[in-house]
PDB file of all heavy atoms in Angstrom:
ATOM      1  N   TYR A 245     124.659 172.735 303.615  1.00 90.00           N
ATOM      2  CA  TYR A 245     123.338 172.569 304.213  1.00 90.00           C
ATOM      3  C   TYR A 245     122.416 173.721 303.830  1.00 90.00           C
ATOM      4  O   TYR A 245     121.267 173.519 303.470  1.00 90.00           O
ATOM      5  CB  TYR A 245     123.442 172.466 305.736  1.00 90.00           C
ATOM      6  CG  TYR A 245     122.112 172.632 306.413  1.00 90.00           C
ATOM      7  CD1 TYR A 245     121.146 171.635 306.299  1.00 90.00           C
ATOM      8  CD2 TYR A 245     121.793 173.784 307.114  1.00 90.00           C
ATOM      9  CE1 TYR A 245     119.902 171.790 306.883  1.00 90.00           C
ATOM     10  CE2 TYR A 245     120.556 173.947 307.700  1.00 90.00           C
ATOM     11  CZ  TYR A 245     119.619 172.956 307.581  1.00 90.00           C
ATOM     12  OH  TYR A 245     118.380 173.107 308.136  1.00 90.00           O
ATOM     13  N   HIS A 268      97.839 166.881 286.187  1.00 86.00           N
ATOM     14  CA  HIS A 268      96.406 166.630 286.252  1.00 86.00           C
ATOM     15  C   HIS A 268      95.696 167.327 285.096  1.00 86.00           C
ATOM     16  O   HIS A 268      94.819 166.752 284.457  1.00 86.00           O
ATOM     17  CB  HIS A 268      95.857 167.131 287.582  1.00 86.00           C
ATOM     18  CG  HIS A 268      94.369 167.094 287.674  1.00 86.00           C
ATOM     19  ND1 HIS A 268      93.672 165.924 287.798  1.00 86.00           N
ATOM     20  CD2 HIS A 268      93.448 168.082 287.599  1.00 86.00           C
ATOM     21  CE1 HIS A 268      92.381 166.194 287.817  1.00 86.00           C
ATOM     22  NE2 HIS A 268      92.221 167.489 287.703  1.00 86.00           N
ATOM     23  N   TRP A 283     111.967 159.867 288.783  1.00 90.00           N
ATOM     24  CA  TRP A 283     113.308 160.348 289.143  1.00 90.00           C
ATOM     25  C   TRP A 283     113.248 161.626 289.950  1.00 90.00           C
ATOM     26  O   TRP A 283     114.089 161.855 290.822  1.00 90.00           O
ATOM     27  CB  TRP A 283     114.182 160.491 287.901  1.00 90.00           C
ATOM     28  CG  TRP A 283     114.739 159.150 287.551  1.00 90.00           C
ATOM     29  CD1 TRP A 283     114.177 158.235 286.711  1.00 90.00           C
ATOM     30  CD2 TRP A 283     115.908 158.524 288.093  1.00 90.00           C
ATOM     31  NE1 TRP A 283     114.928 157.085 286.694  1.00 90.00           N
ATOM     32  CE2 TRP A 283     116.003 157.233 287.522  1.00 90.00           C
ATOM     33  CE3 TRP A 283     116.886 158.926 289.001  1.00 90.00           C
ATOM     34  CZ2 TRP A 283     117.030 156.349 287.842  1.00 90.00           C
ATOM     35  CZ3 TRP A 283     117.920 158.040 289.308  1.00 90.00           C
ATOM     36  CH2 TRP A 283     117.988 156.769 288.727  1.00 90.00           C
ATOM     37  N   HIS A 296     117.976 164.465 306.776  1.00 88.00           N
ATOM     38  CA  HIS A 296     117.916 163.637 307.976  1.00 88.00           C
ATOM     39  C   HIS A 296     119.309 163.197 308.417  1.00 88.00           C
ATOM     40  O   HIS A 296     119.612 163.173 309.601  1.00 88.00           O
ATOM     41  CB  HIS A 296     117.055 162.408 307.724  1.00 88.00           C
ATOM     42  CG  HIS A 296     115.599 162.693 307.708  1.00 88.00           C
ATOM     43  ND1 HIS A 296     114.881 162.812 306.552  1.00 88.00           N
ATOM     44  CD2 HIS A 296     114.728 162.908 308.712  1.00 88.00           C
ATOM     45  CE1 HIS A 296     113.627 163.084 306.847  1.00 88.00           C
ATOM     46  NE2 HIS A 296     113.500 163.146 308.149  1.00 88.00           N
ATOM     47  N   THR A 344      98.793 165.269 269.729  1.00 30.00           N
ATOM     48  CA  THR A 344      98.425 164.621 270.981  1.00 30.00           C
ATOM     49  C   THR A 344      97.840 163.260 270.680  1.00 30.00           C
ATOM     50  O   THR A 344      97.047 162.732 271.431  1.00 30.00           O
ATOM     51  CB  THR A 344      97.385 165.449 271.736  1.00 30.00           C
ATOM     52  OG1 THR A 344      96.293 165.670 270.833  1.00 30.00           O
ATOM     53  CG2 THR A 344      97.934 166.747 272.211  1.00 30.00           C
TER      54      THR A 344
ATOM     55  N   MET B   7     112.610 167.074 312.493  1.00 40.00           N
ATOM     56  CA  MET B   7     113.544 165.990 312.275  1.00 40.00           C
ATOM     57  C   MET B   7     114.692 166.448 311.396  1.00 40.00           C
ATOM     58  O   MET B   7     115.770 165.897 311.410  1.00 40.00           O
ATOM     59  CB  MET B   7     112.772 164.834 311.666  1.00 40.00           C
ATOM     60  CG  MET B   7     113.618 163.788 311.042  1.00 40.00           C
ATOM     61  SD  MET B   7     112.934 162.125 311.079  1.00 40.00           S
ATOM     62  CE  MET B   7     111.211 162.272 310.901  1.00 40.00           C
ATOM     63  N   THR B   9     116.572 169.327 311.198  1.00 42.00           N
ATOM     64  CA  THR B   9     117.803 169.905 311.697  1.00 42.00           C
ATOM     65  C   THR B   9     117.946 169.787 313.203  1.00 42.00           C
ATOM     66  O   THR B   9     119.040 169.895 313.703  1.00 42.00           O
ATOM     67  CB  THR B   9     117.902 171.387 311.345  1.00 42.00           C
ATOM     68  OG1 THR B   9     116.720 171.996 311.804  1.00 42.00           O
ATOM     69  CG2 THR B   9     118.058 171.590 309.870  1.00 42.00           C
ATOM     70  N   SER B  60     111.286 152.919 286.406  1.00 83.00           N
ATOM     71  CA  SER B  60     111.544 153.905 285.371  1.00 83.00           C
ATOM     72  C   SER B  60     112.329 153.297 284.219  1.00 83.00           C
ATOM     73  O   SER B  60     112.472 153.903 283.174  1.00 83.00           O
ATOM     74  CB  SER B  60     112.306 155.090 285.948  1.00 83.00           C
ATOM     75  OG  SER B  60     113.622 154.707 286.261  1.00 83.00           O
ATOM     76  N   PHE B 304      89.142 165.170 279.828  1.00 89.00           N
ATOM     77  CA  PHE B 304      90.336 165.734 279.217  1.00 89.00           C
ATOM     78  C   PHE B 304      90.379 165.392 277.735  1.00 89.00           C
ATOM     79  O   PHE B 304      90.002 164.295 277.339  1.00 89.00           O
ATOM     80  CB  PHE B 304      91.591 165.145 279.851  1.00 89.00           C
ATOM     81  CG  PHE B 304      91.657 165.315 281.324  1.00 89.00           C
ATOM     82  CD1 PHE B 304      91.019 164.413 282.160  1.00 89.00           C
ATOM     83  CD2 PHE B 304      92.357 166.357 281.885  1.00 89.00           C
ATOM     84  CE1 PHE B 304      91.080 164.563 283.524  1.00 89.00           C
ATOM     85  CE2 PHE B 304      92.423 166.507 283.249  1.00 89.00           C
ATOM     86  CZ  PHE B 304      91.777 165.614 284.081  1.00 89.00           C
ATOM     87  N   ILE B 306      92.721 164.311 274.994  1.00 83.00           N
ATOM     88  CA  ILE B 306      94.104 163.833 274.928  1.00 83.00           C
ATOM     89  C   ILE B 306      94.499 163.286 273.567  1.00 83.00           C
ATOM     90  O   ILE B 306      95.646 162.885 273.388  1.00 83.00           O
ATOM     91  CB  ILE B 306      94.412 162.785 276.011  1.00 83.00           C
ATOM     92  CG1 ILE B 306      93.549 161.569 275.813  1.00 83.00           C
ATOM     93  CG2 ILE B 306      94.260 163.333 277.399  1.00 83.00           C
ATOM     94  CD1 ILE B 306      94.095 160.388 276.580  1.00 83.00           C
TER      95      ILE B 306
END
Side-chain angles (χ1 to χ4, degrees):
Chain A
Y245 166 70
H268 172 72
W283 278 91
H296 285 101
T344 54
Chain B
M7 164 150 35
T9 53
S60 70
F304 304 84
I306 62 163

